[in-house]
Amino acid sequence: MKLGMGINDSGFGETFLQCITPGEFKKIEETSVFLQFKKGETILKQGHQPTHIAFLQSGIVKFSYRQDNSDKSTILTLVTAPKILGGANLFFNDNNLFSIVAVENCEVYMLDANVLYHLMQDNGSLAVNLFILASDMFKKAIFNFISVATKQKEARIADVFIYLTEEIYGSLSFKLSLTRKELAEYACCSVENVIMTLSKWQNEGIVLSSGKNFKIMNPDKLKHISRVG
């Protein structure tokens, strides 16, 4: 499998390839490593010095932050393929601020960060596009923080499910990749809060669930909960 095959198959790839020359792409491809990650495995680890930028070809990942000396984790955002992950480290020379973890089996190309950095110095369009992609990752995390800071728990859980339907699965019916614990980490509430809210929504005919299978029956009501919360 070649890097070009994965990138070319996506709208993201069209944008990426338009701003680099065939020679530049060859440098990226020759220094990239293709890896497969199982659910729960860490792709980029919080606190480690970054050496690679990840191109997520398939699967879903979570951006997870763990407080120092604590077992408590917070999910900042979820991302589905195809996406560049960890691109901000090309602009801010710092250790990884969070971990990127597979929430389902993923295929990833690890792109050499030094190669990309040197290419960016000679190619302004590449630098701009990678900065835009990195900013988009942070924008999603910021929107989640705004939800956490300003809304009650039911509204926060509603925001999570709206994001899942619109940005991750693209459907009102889906098989959830997250555990109930991860839902709680994403909405910054307890597992009990998640279970009670889902049970309430089931009784009200807003969201139907059976195990990991979910169907949003009343998306307008879910958005109303998000607004008034």
Side-chain angles (χ1 to χ4, degrees):
M1 187 182 296
K2 292 184 178 181
L3 175 60
M5 292 174 62
I7 288 184
N8 272 318
D9 291 339
S10 67
F12 157 80
E14 293 175 5
T15 301
F16 186 77
L17 292 175
Q18 283 174 359
C19 64
I20 61 175
T21 67
E24 289 171 333
F25 183 82
K26 186 176 181 181
K27 287 182 181 179
I28 296 172
E29 185 175 37
E30 288 176 344
T31 56
S32 68
V33 179
F34 176 73
L35 299 173
Q36 294 177 308
F37 292 88
K38 294 181 180 179
K39 177 180 173 67
E41 290 186 330
T42 299
I43 298 170
L44 297 175
K45 189 170 184 179
Q46 178 180 329
H48 283 201
Q49 181 68 37
T51 58
H52 290 79
I53 305 302
F55 168 61
L56 180 65
Q57 177 170 288
S58 67
I60 300 172
V61 301
K62 63 180 179 179
F63 287 31
S64 180
Y65 175 78
R66 183 181 294 274
Q67 298 177 8
D68 291 338
N69 302 318
S70 172
D71 292 332
K72 185 178 180 180
S73 294
T74 300
I75 295 179
L76 307 177
T77 191
L78 298 178
V79 173
T80 186
K83 284 290 190 305
I84 284 281
L85 309 174
N89 292 321
L90 290 171
F91 304 95
F92 310 108
N93 188 21
D94 201 354
N95 292 343
N96 294 327
L97 300 177
F98 44 76
S99 295
I100 298 178
V101 181
V103 297
E104 61 181 37
N105 294 344
C106 295
E107 294 181 333
V108 176
Y109 283 99
M110 304 302 288
L111 312 181
D112 190 290
N114 284 327
V115 171
L116 284 174
Y117 182 76
H118 288 300
L119 290 177
M120 284 185 347
Q121 291 180 317
D122 297 321
N123 186 332
S125 295
L126 175 61
V128 169
N129 276 278
L130 287 175
F131 184 78
I132 291 171
L133 292 168
S135 298
D136 186 57
M137 297 296 99
F138 283 108
K139 181 177 71 175
K140 290 179 171 61
I142 289 169
F143 285 157
N144 187 53
F145 270 120
I146 292 172
S147 172
V148 168
T150 62
K151 297 184 178 182
Q152 301 297 321
K153 60 180 180 295
E154 186 174 358
R156 299 200 301 267
I157 298 170
D159 282 345
V160 168
F161 275 86
I162 291 169
Y163 184 78
L164 290 172
T165 60
E166 295 182 351
E167 300 290 338
I168 301 300
Y169 300 109
S171 173
L172 295 177
S173 299
F174 53 87
K175 185 174 182 178
L176 186 65
S177 305
L178 301 175
T179 64
R180 298 298 192 270
K181 181 176 182 292
E182 287 173 320
L183 283 176
E185 291 173 348
Y186 199 178
C188 288
C189 63
S190 68
V191 175
E192 290 76 16
N193 288 150
V194 170
I195 293 172
M196 290 175 60
T197 299
L198 291 177
S199 177
K200 176 176 179 286
W201 289 350
Q202 178 111 353
N203 292 335
E204 295 174 354
I206 300 172
V207 177
L208 300 183
S209 62
S210 177
K212 286 187 170 293
N213 296 307
F214 284 80
K215 185 172 184 179
I216 311 301
M217 302 299 295
N218 193 335
D220 290 337
K221 178 65 174 176
L222 206 59
K223 291 178 179 178
H224 174 73
I225 294 170
S226 169
R227 288 194 301 272
V228 300

